[in-house]
Amino acid sequence: MSSDQKFFDIYSIVVGGLALFALFILVLAMRMGDITQGEFNKAAPEYQAAVRERIAPVGQVYLPGEEAQAAAPVVEAAAEPEPVAAALTGPQVYNQACLACHGAGIGGAPILGDADAWAARIAQGIDTLNEHAIYGYQGELGYMPAKGGRADLSDEEVADAVAYMVAESQ
Ligand code: HEC
């Protein structure tokens, strides 16, 4: 036997052995895969969902105008504080809203403290005076605007101002 022939024999055996070994590793890897992951049916929706959940991003960015897809955390709204707008007193309302006309008799308004101008008006009764002051009215001397033009005043505040004016004008 020539040394060439001997070389080829050994070479074939080594290559054949390596090929067999590679085949063995391939089969072993498939077998291991079956053993460790065979219980999962990868097409099953539950499996797909579990994978999606595992690889889902931790957070998401929403740009202005985009709607949040995740359920927004429920935040308990803080109790609204009671508004502390204190009602104005009669004299305060008078100075702010009535003085402009009733201080100097502008447009026929009866002047505060003018007992003669007020006597007949007071005789109508406080209810009528309040009504005229709150809702406004057109008299013989001029026009009395509703709440003196201050719609933000409450009826009580205007009534307090009327009581003050009446008390000052008797
Ligand atoms: C723009 C001017 C003007 C303002 C402001 C004004 N008044 Fe008068 N008020 C009048 C005039 C004018 C009369 C008289 C109308 C008439 O009898 O001819 C009048 C009359 C009244 C009378 C008598 C009503 C009656 O029946 O005789 C009362 C009460 C009164 N005003 C209350 C108030 C109060 C309260 C305020 C402020 C919240 C106020 N007025 C603000 C012009 C005004």
Side-chain angles (χ1 to χ4, degrees):
M1 194 195 280
S2 75
S3 61
D4 275 356
Q5 185 63 50
K6 198 172 174 191
F7 169 77
F8 277 118
D9 285 352
I10 295 171
Y11 182 80
S12 304
I13 290 168
V14 169
V15 169
L18 283 174
L20 274 175
F21 183 64
L23 200 68
F24 167 74
I25 289 178
L26 182 72
V27 172
L28 185 72
M30 289 167 74
R31 184 84 196 94
M32 289 297 285
D34 272 354
I35 290 170
T36 56
Q37 290 160 45
E39 74 225 57
F40 299 116
N41 174 8
K42 298 201 173 85
E46 307 88 62
Y47 179 85
Q48 298 278 330
V51 169
R52 258 202 304 281
E53 197 181 315
R54 278 201 296 279
I55 66 174
V58 178
Q60 268 172 308
V61 175
Y62 298 110
L63 296 176
E66 281 182 358
E67 277 203 22
Q69 269 112 57
V74 181
V75 179
E76 196 110 342
E80 288 265 321
E82 290 280 316
V84 283
L88 297 173
T89 64
Q92 283 174 331
V93 174
Y94 171 79
N95 285 324
Q96 285 184 20
C98 321
L99 175 77
C101 295
H102 288 273
I106 305 295
I111 298 174
L112 184 86
D114 184 345
D116 290 344
W118 279 96
R121 299 181 185 277
I122 293 170
Q124 299 175 101
I126 192 70
D127 288 345
T128 305
L129 294 181
N130 283 340
E131 203 185 301
H132 286 169
I134 291 167
Y135 301 108
Y137 89 112
Q138 175 67 58
E140 286 168 20
L141 297 174
Y143 176 65
M144 163 66 207
K147 295 186 176 178
R150 283 281 303 273
D152 58 301
L153 294 173
S154 70
D155 291 359
E156 288 72 35
E157 284 170 326
V158 174
D160 286 350
V162 172
Y164 166 73
M165 289 163 79
V166 167
E168 292 289 304
S169 309
Q170 303 203 6

